[in-house]
Amino acid sequence: TATITKTEMLDPDPSNNTFVLATEVQKVADLSVYMSESVDPVILGNPLVYIIDVNNWGPDYVTSMTLSDVLPSSVSVVSATTDHGTCTVSGNTVTCFLAEQNWYRLEVRITVIPLVTGTIINQVQVSSGAHDPRPSDNRHGVSTLVKLPTDVGVTLTGPTGRMLHGGTGSITAVVRNNGPDSATDIHLNWTLPSSLEYVGGTASQGS
């Protein structure tokens, strides 16, 4: 505010001797968002949870932030939850209104069901009314592989009848995958009874 208080001459209109200039000071808040998934790969039809962390690195607090996630049509949205605000779901669009209060880190969880096999690509973004000096980290995305289930089973065959004390015999474990999808990185854990001693073994595939 600037005001003229004294002059050597008579001012016929003193009403314009004061001028007020209003300047808005915008808050500065460096927001960031990071998203991870509960499982990758995920089985078709099983729940997939996106865990989203929102951080404000300051220097100012913000009273509200908006998180937006437009999910692909290859998933069905089950729920969106947070302890620091409210979330709404409209079709495959999730919008969360977050209240920072005294927390630097806020969490949002979005649960979906994959509808088709392949790769799901999901990207989330966060914004506020404050100036963000580094907007490049206001977006983050993940890709998740959706697979068909596998039905892996094992059967054991070995000597029938009696075995001589101190003698040797072979027990064969047959591992099968009944599909419908292929299986990789299969581990067979085999615990022998204390009455048997392991001598050696081979595998037709792997080691």
Side-chain angles (χ1 to χ4, degrees), residues 48-122:
L48 170 64
V49 181
Y50 292 108
I51 302 100
I52 304 166
D53 291 328
V54 178
N55 289 275
N56 178 14
W57 304 102
D60 294 326
Y61 285 111
V62 289
T63 56
S64 64
M65 294 175 285
T66 302
L67 181 139
S68 302
D69 189 355
V70 181
L71 292 114
S73 59
S74 57
V75 303
S76 174
V77 180
V78 177
S79 64
T81 59
T82 180
D83 291 335
H84 307 292
T86 59
C87 293
T88 61
V89 179
S90 177
N92 274 35
T93 300
V94 175
T95 305
C96 297
F97 302 97
L98 307 175
E100 182 185 12
Q101 297 181 8
N102 294 324
W103 294 281
Y104 285 99
R105 175 182 174 272
L106 311 179
E107 183 179 279
V108 176
R109 288 177 175 254
I110 300 175
T111 302
V112 302
I113 299 293
L115 303 177
V116 297
T117 58
T119 301
I120 302 172
I121 299 176
N122 184 27

Side-chain angles (χ1 to χ4, degrees), residues 1 19-27:
T1 301
F19 182 81
V20 178
L21 177 64
T23 303
E24 180 183 0
V25 180
Q26 189 178 18
K27 287 186 176 183

